Amino acid sequence: MQRHLFRKSSFATFVAIFCIVLSSTTFAQKSEGPQPVPLPASVPTPVDQPYAGTISLSVDLTNVNDRILNVRESIPVKPGSMTLLYPQWLPGTHSPSNPVGELAGLNIRANSKTIPWLRDRVNMWAFHIDVPQDVSTLEVTFQYLAPVKSQQGRISTKIADLTWNSALLYPAGFFARRIQFSPELKLPNGWKFATALDVKSQNGSVVQFKDVSLNTLVDSPLYAGVNFRRLDLSTGQGNHVYLDVFADKPEQLEITPEELRYHKDLAIQAEKLFNSHHYDHYDFLFSLSDSVGGKGLEHHQSSEDGTRGNYFTDWPAGISGRALLPHEYVHSWNGKFRRPADLWTPNFNVPMQNDLLWVYEGLTDYYGNVLTARSGMRTPEQARDAIAEIAASFEASPGRNWRSLVDTTNQPIISSHGAVPESWASWQRSYDYYPESDLIWLDADTKIRELSKGQKSLDDFARLFYGINNGSFVTVTYSFEDLVKALNSVQPYDWAGFLRARVYQVAPNVPEEGITRGGYRLVYNDTEPDWVKHMDKSRPTSFATSLGFSVKGGGGGEDGDEDGGGPPGGITDVQWEGPAFKAGVTPDMRLLAVNDLAFSIAHLREAIVAAEKSKEPIKLLLKREKEFITITLDYHSGLRYPHLEREQSTPDRLDTILAPVK
Ligand SMILES: [Zn+2]
């Protein structure tokens, strides 16, 4: 999965759950008060055994007007009790996030009779049934009700992202790879589609796919739509890569030769990096849309990608989000093919453990950004600005004083448990295992280059660790010890100590050694980086490194929009212990005026620059509920945009890392 590179978002409240284990002696003498009711019989544990028969799955995608998928399954069964599961833990989301609340109309029939179902009282994704003696097949029907509000869901009247995990139930008690499905899809008339699945036959708008295991089916989503273009990014006969673009409008499919070159170079540079691939053919499923929401979700032989409609038509506007495709592509090697052992689960209803996400996501983020530069999608300066921005955002976020990086790998689970958005994200910390790991892996990469006197690099580790079993997409799991062993075989060093100090211990200092060893230092000035110049105006603008807050600009409506920005002037985040925090600004305020003139982003910037010279305080008029509040900020350090500045005394290792591999 990809999180927005610049500025942390989607924060959730940290909830500490303490388990109190009562010893048997405590129970020996019962205390006063209620005693617990025993939990009901649990869901069967998955076993590595074949499920008898093939499940026929038919998904009707024609009702895109109402965003309703109609699902029909024929499930071969034996008489007796059984449990059907709706997938809960989805690989790539690292959380129990599949929205079972959007399943409706569940009806189970056999031999023309309805069979009652009972949802498990503890596990909301499990449905218990008793199969009668004379029944050998269940006919299951239900709907998946996709979100209807624009930008919230992934289905519109022009584009649909079909995730099979939304549209199936499967029997409990078996490994997902041992359950066979025969999938069929009915498309709206005239729609085209793309998927990593192989087609068996097509009759008009009904497509029958070859039988697949549940494992592969859930890992092989499908994009469909009205406006479609398939671009060939293959590097040669043995490495087939495609960019399957779906757009709201046909003109959004137009790509310049230069843009196509960048995408082809992405495939070439990834091949040089990993010296292998783990797919038959790889399909970037890519939606360019302002009606369906953005997405980045990895799969073995494809990825679900989505961004704004102007991806090709306004190329400079996309600098900040440019690492989307490189990030998801790297996941085919790191995350899908090689996976932390405790993140691999036998089916989609067994909890995952996230403690190695700083490798799964963190190293992917690092190489996603590196490949974005090596492919030319970002200039070297833009790539350095991206690193500067990450380091600067941590310098302005003191949450590292109390919370280790490894603890942030729990964030997907914490956030998916209905927690309210974080009020003080820079203190609470969020999905920091993405950007902070960028800095740690840069540290490791430059360390290998320094110790080996330029003979070795992290690329050697990438080839060693991910380049095994070329062509295979059977997942190979690993542990922390395996990782350390591989690093040591590339360049002997105390890698266990290096990683434990930065990841597993509370480490208040921002890990910037990779920047300095790379031949640069972090500086702040008033020069706008390219990504700020071309920023999406509807997103909150960050003043985190200056005044210490983020604020919504003019984009979006008076009531705000779905990116969490709120109305214009809405304060979206306040840096803990920053200038605004100390003056009493809180994230529920709205900025109305700056120095007695109506608020705009441009005017606020001008006021910050003016205060740098005049040494006059900046006067903010804010509103909270019905109260108007005037706050003056005695701040004179300018806009403080982060950049990397060359330090001539150290070899420019960073530029070597970011340059295309010949
Ligand atoms: Zn990811």
Side-chain angles (χ1 to χ4, degrees):
M1 217 175 170
Q2 205 219 15
R3 303 241 147 229
H4 203 266
L5 173 63
F6 300 112
R7 304 301 177 197
K8 293 165 263 171
S9 60
S10 306
F11 301 104
T13 304
F14 177 79
V15 182
I17 299 169
F18 299 95
C19 291
I20 300 166
V21 180
L22 300 173
S23 71
S24 55
T25 50
T26 314
F27 280 112
Q29 203 170 17
K30 282 186 179 174
S31 61
E32 281 184 31
Q35 298 299 319
V37 173
L39 289 174
S42 60
V43 173
T45 304
V47 177
D48 192 2
Q49 60 183 5
Y51 186 75
T54 298
I55 298 172
S56 298
L57 170 68
S58 173
V59 178
D60 184 338
L61 188 59
T62 55
N63 190 359
V64 288
N65 182 65
D66 299 322
R67 282 78 146 179
I68 296 171
L69 302 187
N70 277 292
V71 180
R72 177 176 295 277
E73 286 181 278
S74 295
I75 305 177
V77 289
K78 294 191 182 81
S81 61
M82 78 178 293
T83 304
L84 291 174
L85 299 172
Y86 192 62
Q88 178 184 13
W89 289 78
L90 299 182
T93 71
H94 323 302
S95 62
S97 57
N98 206 30
V100 71
E102 288 161 14
L103 177 157
L106 178 60
N107 184 268
I108 303 174
R109 292 176 70 81
N111 298 344
S112 306
K113 291 196 191 93
T114 296
I115 296 179
W117 53 264
L118 182 68
R119 194 190 297 257
D120 191 274
R121 278 190 273 166
V122 174
N123 184 337
M124 300 300 121
W125 284 258
F127 300 88
H128 302 296
I129 48 178
D130 281 316
V131 180
Q133 280 305 318
D134 55 344
V135 166
S136 59
T137 305
L138 296 179
E139 299 297 334
V140 179
T141 55
F142 66 91
Q143 297 94 41
Y144 168 69
L145 309 177
V148 290
K149 216 173 164 189
S150 177
Q151 288 281 329
Q152 284 189 352
R154 296 279 302 153
I155 296 178
S156 76
T157 55
K158 296 284 190 294
I159 296 174
D161 171 3
L162 170 60
T163 51
W164 298 100
N165 48 267
S166 308
L168 62 82
L169 291 168
Y170 72 96
F174 301 84
F175 279 25
R177 66 183 180 217
R178 307 303 296 273
I179 305 171
Q180 285 294 109
F181 271 77
S182 174
E184 181 190 272
L185 174 67
K186 188 173 186 197
L187 290 159
N189 279 334
W191 279 38
K192 294 101 176 171
F193 70 95
T195 175
L197 290 178
D198 292 325
V199 174
K200 187 169 158 190
S201 63
Q202 185 168 359
N203 183 4
S205 58
V206 178
V207 187
Q208 182 74 47
F209 297 97
K210 288 184 181 167
D211 291 4
V212 284
S213 68
L214 172 60
N215 212 28
T216 302
L217 183 62
V218 167
D219 195 39
S220 308
L222 178 145
Y223 275 22
V226 178
N227 305 303
F228 169 60
R229 185 173 183 184
R230 192 177 211 214
L231 299 161
D232 190 350
L233 310 180
S234 303
T235 63
Q237 279 304 314
N239 187 14
H240 301 285
V241 185
Y242 301 95
L243 185 59
D244 302 302
V245 192
F246 294 83
D248 288 342
K249 302 172 193 161
E251 57 267 30
Q252 291 167 332
L253 299 171
E254 293 299 319
I255 180 171
T256 66
E258 196 183 21
E259 289 161 8
L260 182 59
R261 184 73 256 160
Y262 296 147
H263 291 81
K264 286 189 169 179
D265 282 346
L266 168 60
I268 290 168
Q269 288 297 321
E271 190 172 44
K272 286 180 191 290
L273 173 60
F274 293 113
N275 197 30
S276 65
H277 60 264
H278 303 287
Y279 45 78
D280 288 338
H281 57 93
Y282 188 91
D283 284 82
F284 288 101
L285 307 175
F286 198 21
S287 63
L288 305 183
S289 174
D290 300 307
S291 57
V292 301
K295 193 166 187 179
L297 187 61
E298 66 274 20
H299 301 285
H300 226 127
Q301 306 195 73
S302 63
S303 50
E304 287 165 87
D305 307 298
T307 187
R308 290 159 302 153
N310 65 359
Y311 179 78
F312 291 130
T313 52
D314 187 2
W315 183 252
I319 296 166
S320 67
R322 192 82 85 218
L324 171 65
L325 299 181
H327 179 107
E328 301 309 336
Y329 193 33
V330 168
H331 269 316
S332 180
W333 290 265
N334 182 31
K336 302 309 292 190
F337 173 59
R338 297 232 53 182
R339 198 174 311 170
D342 54 10
L343 264 171
W344 181 90
T345 55
N347 72 15
F348 303 105
N349 294 69
V350 174
M352 296 170 183
Q353 297 169 68
N354 287 348
D355 58 297
L356 283 169
L357 278 186
W358 56 274
V359 189
Y360 180 124
E361 290 295 358
L363 184 57
T364 298
D365 219 50
Y366 177 69
Y367 268 122
N369 281 320
V370 166
L371 288 180
T372 305
R374 287 183 185 174
S375 64
M377 289 186 174
R378 279 194 193 124
T379 66
E381 187 184 359
Q382 290 167 354
R384 289 194 299 268
D385 280 346
I387 296 165
E389 166 60 18
I390 290 170
S393 80
F394 285 116
E395 287 198 345
S397 302
R400 317 175 72 267
N401 284 309
W402 73 272
R403 193 174 180 196
S404 65
L405 180 62
V406 75
D407 191 55
T408 71
T409 65
N410 296 308
Q411 202 65 28
I413 302 169
I414 291 167
S415 297
S416 74
H417 282 174
V420 294
E422 292 177 322
S423 299
W424 306 102
S426 63
W427 178 239
Q428 290 165 278
R429 306 198 83 183
S430 181
Y431 296 85
D432 288 3
Y433 57 91
Y434 286 83
E436 191 168 321
S437 300
D438 275 81
L439 301 179
I440 291 170
W441 287 110
L442 176 63
D443 193 353
D445 198 348
T446 54
K447 191 80 194 167
I448 296 171
R449 288 168 194 261
E450 181 186 58
L451 291 170
S452 68
K453 300 192 168 36
Q455 296 302 302
K456 294 282 175 64
S457 73
L458 195 65
D459 291 8
D460 292 288
F461 162 80
R463 271 186 287 280
L464 174 75
F465 205 62
Y466 302 102
I468 56 171
N469 306 358
N470 185 35
S472 166
F473 41 92
V474 176
T475 298
V476 179
T477 60
Y478 65 86
S479 64
F480 177 83
E481 287 70 28
D482 297 330
L483 185 80
V484 165
K485 194 175 158 202
L487 283 165
N488 266 315
S489 71
V490 171
Q491 176 61 53
Y493 186 63
D494 177 20
W495 290 112
F498 173 97
L499 294 169
R500 287 196 194 287
R502 286 159 181 75
V503 178
Y504 292 86
Q505 292 164 16
V506 172
N509 293 331
V510 182
E512 291 172 357
E513 292 88 343
I515 294 173
T516 49
R517 208 181 295 110
Y520 282 86
R521 66 167 171 265
L522 179 64
V523 297
Y524 296 90
N525 57 39
D526 287 342
T527 310
E528 281 189 347
D530 280 353
W531 65 269
V532 173
K533 284 182 207 154
H534 298 287
M535 225 182 82
D536 178 358
K537 302 288 184 290
S538 69
R539 291 186 71 84
T541 298
S542 171
F543 293 89
T545 53
S546 54
L547 299 180
F549 61 77
S550 298
V551 61
K552 185 79 169 55
E558 183 67 11
D559 298 328
D561 49 26
E562 285 75 32
D563 67 8
I571 302 287
T572 57
D573 196 18
V574 178
Q575 300 301 119
W576 189 262
E577 298 286 356
F581 176 95
K582 288 176 180 164
V585 178
T586 57
D588 57 339
M589 289 181 175
R590 186 174 171 189
L591 181 54
L592 301 178
V594 179
N595 292 341
D596 298 326
L597 281 173
F599 160 77
S600 72
I601 296 291
H603 177 46
L604 181 57
R605 283 196 182 121
E606 285 162 14
I608 293 171
V609 173
E612 195 176 3
K613 297 191 185 88
S614 72
K615 307 299 176 196
E616 295 290 322
I618 300 167
K619 188 174 158 194
L620 305 179
L621 175 64
L622 297 128
K623 187 174 179 235
R624 178 164 60 187
E625 300 288 330
K626 296 187 185 310
E627 188 184 1
F628 290 83
I629 302 155
T630 300
I631 285 178
T632 53
L633 291 175
D634 215 10
Y635 174 82
H636 309 287
S637 300
L639 290 163
R640 296 187 84 241
Y641 289 122
H643 297 276
L644 297 189
E645 196 172 84
R646 181 78 181 97
E647 178 63 73
Q648 294 296 342
S649 59
T650 312
D652 58 351
R653 297 185 179 99
L654 178 57
D655 290 325
T656 310
I657 290 169
L658 299 175
V661 174
K662 296 274 185 281

